[in-house]
Amino acid sequence: MGSKQWMQPAPTYHPLQTFWDTEDDAPGPRCAHTLTAIAPTKTHGPRLILFGGATAIGGGPSSAVPGIRLDGVTNSVHVYDVLTRKWTRIQPAGEAPSPRAAHAAAVVGTMVAFQGGIGPAGHSTDDLYVLDLTNDKYKWHRVVVRGEGPGPRYGHVMDLVAQRYLVTVSGNDGKKVLSDAWALDTAQKPYAWQKLNPEGDKPSARMYATASARTDGMFLLCGGRDILGTPLADAYGLLMHKNGQWEWTPAPGVSPSPRYQHAAVFVGARLHVTGGVLRGGRAVDGEAAVAVLDTAAGVWLDRHGMVTSRNNSKGGQSQTEDSSLELMRRGRHAAASVGGRIYVYGGLRGDVLLDDFLIAEESLDSDSRSPMLTSETTSNVTSPRSNNSSPFGPTPSSGRLSMNRESMERLAEASAAEAQAANAVWQAAQAHAMISNVSDDSQPAENNSEGSDTERDVTLHPRAVVVANETVGNLGGLIRQLSLNQFENESRRMIPSQNDGTYPTRKFTRQPSPQGLHKKVVSTLLRPRNWKPPANRRFFLDSYEVGELCHAAEQIFLHEPTVLQLKAPIKVFGDLHGQFGDLMRLFDEYGFPSTAGDITYIDYLFLGDYVDRGQHSLETITLLLALKIQYPENVHLIRGNHEAADINALFGFRLECIERMGENDGIWAWSRFNQLFNHLPLAAMIEKKIICMHGGIGRSIHSVEQIEKIERPITMDTGSLVLMDLLWSDPTENDSVEGLRPNARGPGLVTFGPDRVTDFCKRNKLQMIIRAHECVMDGFERFAQGQLITLFSATNYCGTANNAGALLVVGRGLVVVPKLIHPLPPPFNSPEASPEHVQEDTWMQELNYQRPPTPTRGRPQPNHDRNSLAYI
């Protein structure tokens, strides 16, 4: 039985020529250091960070003490620019960690965390240090951690799991070899280590092992040396389930060799293992020096294919004839991956310190990517109560929305970051493409980028990320994933009510802007974990400050086009309607726009309807404007139909401004906000493949150019049919209803069928429309066979709908991942008895009574008059 085509053998490593300006910039010979990869930022391409290690060897044959010892332990930091192939030594500001070797490091966003190690004075402290590389002002931070932690240790491993948890395992505390596991939640302050008690088959105590976290959240421990000094050949996966319980699972397959002091790093679903030593310090040699654990297939591979027995060699060459294998005879080296390339630096061969830099390439081509890519996007994770399934095994194709029952049951237990795996794979492929440009001077980089754009298609991920309702322990209540086919409420839309009316806008004279006003707003309101509504409902800004905030934001909107041209990755939000608590929950669960959050590597797009209906429209719009001022290139706002004076005068915003700011100031502020709304962009394009708008294409919009020609500022009473369709139109009830139909919102409004969507996308070379405007029960809804997605971010709309809220993450590979939150607290049996409904203020109760939302699809329709506000 032949091996499967996608079961690629282990790659071959070869030396890489690099450059530096001065000898001090070159890392030089060293071992027991760390090498970590930092993703591209706004100002830098991908980089490798080399820290610490030993730069000299003592002892040896001439020494009275047998064996060798590591000397010259350092805390120097060297940065390797992947695109220019240049090393630079940096001197970060702040308190640097002490010189150390045999420490552990992990990347957290654009920062690198370091813990433990051993130095000239013995064990390093157990302090957690972070090297911040977010901008050009590099800085060290010592993280304040409460309570007990892993303690001083060396020879341990650490990595970031599920893009959230720093996990450290094993090592030596100077008294014994350890087998414990600890986790620190990087999203939970104050920071605290928690000792884990995983279920399953636990690995034995060990040191000098390796560990790497797969992008879907699996932490893979490999090899090491046990308490007797015996090298180990096993591997274990550590997984966290949706209930917060962790579980160890042995990896299948036959490892080519036991080893310790080796290096390992994931590329896709393949763990690339290099070098290592055996008992007595003898190097692992021959074919076993380079190995791959394919976690999608559950097999080990060497350069000739699948390994069936330990220390086997299928090659025709002898071990000494292959110089590439001789290169890999080393231990105490470090490895990192960028895209499809694996980098190895330094190490120790016998008593010789190495300073060479090696590289190998993992193929990312379409013929060989199936298990690698699909394991990233649809990795199987076992239930903590199941004994007959494994996270190591074949995975279904991520491009299909239908899966077999067994796969579905496994995937329902997937970990928090799994839905973003396809994005990470594309980011890796993109970085690889960038590297290729550097090595091929004859082909301009922009040509390659353009070609890259044409190759990728927009894909809706087969599963949505859902915040679990249950919370178990400090690590519980995270995220689960469901197949899109499991959303039984999808296609049950609500038609919100609107009304006509004309309120004149006012003109204002600009006054000098107070310094740092937007920062005051951000510091006051951007509190995803602990925001509380003001007890007396008094708004914290006065009308003067509102005017200045609006003016500063308006100046930015004036210089933006009517149709924004945006890049992935980006998060897209639907209607918020003054439900500021839901915005904070979405930020808390899925990242928030701050340098302490994820703004450095992902943009934000909001699709309008920031105000009305909810109780905190003022907080919602002021925070979004302040974020726009603080991050004008990363936070993007377009207009919804409620960003109009004649609408938000009737549905809550004007009343809220008066109630919370006083009548005179409130009316002034409300008018100034509406003057600003007239300047908002009207649509956004993502990578020229996805168009985002508030309403739809209606009957009049056939090209993107029609939207681009709309001049701003513009009011709703200009009579523009394109503007009316853009902000007010809806898809028809389902895919079977084609053409144009009357819209229940009111006369002159239409719904458009799937045929209109297909035609519009084809004419404009688009692959998807993302729009908001309608409440949908699951927070998102597919239409026109997935070519259009309706997005709604406010939960339990008007206190009665009990709908979920959602955002969409559009990854670098244009894979669209829905991420959901449910109403909190969970609604009771009757929507009218939910706490949100009971606790509505009197004025909002009356307002909702005057304009009740239409029930969702599938529920009985009330016998409202066609002219009532419920149908507007």
Side-chain angles (χ1 to χ4, degrees), residues 14 23 49 130 152 258 325 338 349 413 429 511-512 534 661 685 703 724 775 818 822 841:
H14 57 84
E23 288 301 321
I49 310 301
V130 168
L325 289 177
V338 176
R349 182 180 298 133
E413 300 292 330
Q511 300 177 15
M661 300 182 69
M685 295 271 284
S703 70
M724 185 66 67
C775 178
H822 290 290
D841 285 352

Side-chain angles (χ1 to χ4, degrees), residues 91-298:
Q91 304 284 349
E95 177 192 353
S98 60
R100 61 191 64 199
H103 52 283
V107 172
V108 182
T110 52
M111 300 180 288
V112 185
F114 300 93
Q115 200 272 339
I118 192 166
H123 282 77
S124 303
T125 65
D126 64 345
D127 290 341
L128 187 64
Y129 284 88
V130 168
L131 177 58
D132 189 350
L133 299 156
T134 303
N135 50 48
D136 291 332
K137 297 180 180 179
Y138 308 132
K139 188 173 183 180
W140 283 109
H141 301 276
R142 187 170 64 85
V143 181
V144 177
V145 182
R146 290 188 178 181
E148 182 186 3
R153 63 179 65 198
Y154 69 97
H156 55 305
V157 292
M158 183 173 71
D159 208 348
L160 187 69
V161 174
Q163 305 301 311
R164 180 167 180 172
Y165 297 95
L166 273 179
V167 174
T168 184
V169 175
S170 71
N172 190 317
D173 63 0
K175 300 177 181 178
K176 61 182 180 299
V177 179
L178 305 168
S179 63
D180 54 353
W182 296 76
L184 183 145
D185 187 349
T186 63
Q188 178 69 54
K189 292 183 179 180
Y191 298 121
W193 286 103
Q194 177 174 344
K195 189 172 184 178
L196 304 181
N197 184 27
E199 297 182 342
D201 297 328
K202 299 179 181 179
S204 60
R206 64 191 65 203
M207 61 186 297
Y208 296 134
T210 59
S212 184
R214 201 167 68 177
T215 50
D216 66 354
M218 183 179 72
F219 179 91
L220 192 65
L221 179 70
C222 174
R225 190 178 74 188
D226 67 11
I227 57 177
L228 300 177
T230 304
L232 302 170
D234 52 8
Y236 289 83
L238 179 63
L239 300 160
M240 183 183 64
H241 299 286
K242 69 174 184 178
N243 63 357
Q245 179 62 50
W246 296 74
E247 180 184 15
W248 283 110
T249 305
V254 179
S255 170
S257 172
R259 69 187 82 208
Y260 64 94
Q261 293 179 351
H262 51 298
V265 64
F266 265 114
V267 175
R270 290 160 54 92
L271 184 76
H272 290 257
V273 179
T274 54
V277 299
L278 303 171
R279 187 187 289 272
R282 181 172 58 89
V284 174
D285 57 11
E287 294 295 341
V290 180
V292 169
L293 173 56
D294 192 323
T295 60

Side-chain angles (χ1 to χ4, degrees), residues 531 533-535 537-539 576-582 610-621 651-653 655-657 659-660 794 796-799 835-845 847-848 851:
W531 177 81
R537 281 190 57 79
R538 184 72 184 175
F539 191 52
L576 292 168
H577 279 301
Q579 297 187 201
F580 190 73
D582 285 334
Y610 313 114
V611 300
D612 281 346
R613 304 187 184 280
Q615 297 190 63
H616 299 99
S617 293
L618 282 169
E619 282 85 354
T620 303
I621 186 59
F651 297 106
F653 185 43
L655 192 59
E656 180 182 337
C657 290
E659 182 227 5
R660 302 184 63 191
N796 197 27
Y797 187 43
C798 292
E836 293 87 348
H837 185 83
V838 173
Q839 295 172 7
E840 287 284 347
D841 285 352
T842 303
W843 69 273
M844 188 57 72
Q845 287 181 349
L847 203 60
N848 283 330
R851 46 96 176 93

Side-chain angles (χ1 to χ4, degrees), residues 771-793:
R771 47 90 65 174
H773 194 41
E774 286 187 285
C775 178
V776 287
M777 287 303 295
D778 292 317
F780 74 101
E781 173 192 323
R782 293 169 289 177
F783 181 77
Q785 296 184 339
Q787 291 182 94
L788 181 146
I789 298 178
T790 296
L791 181 64
F792 202 82
S793 297

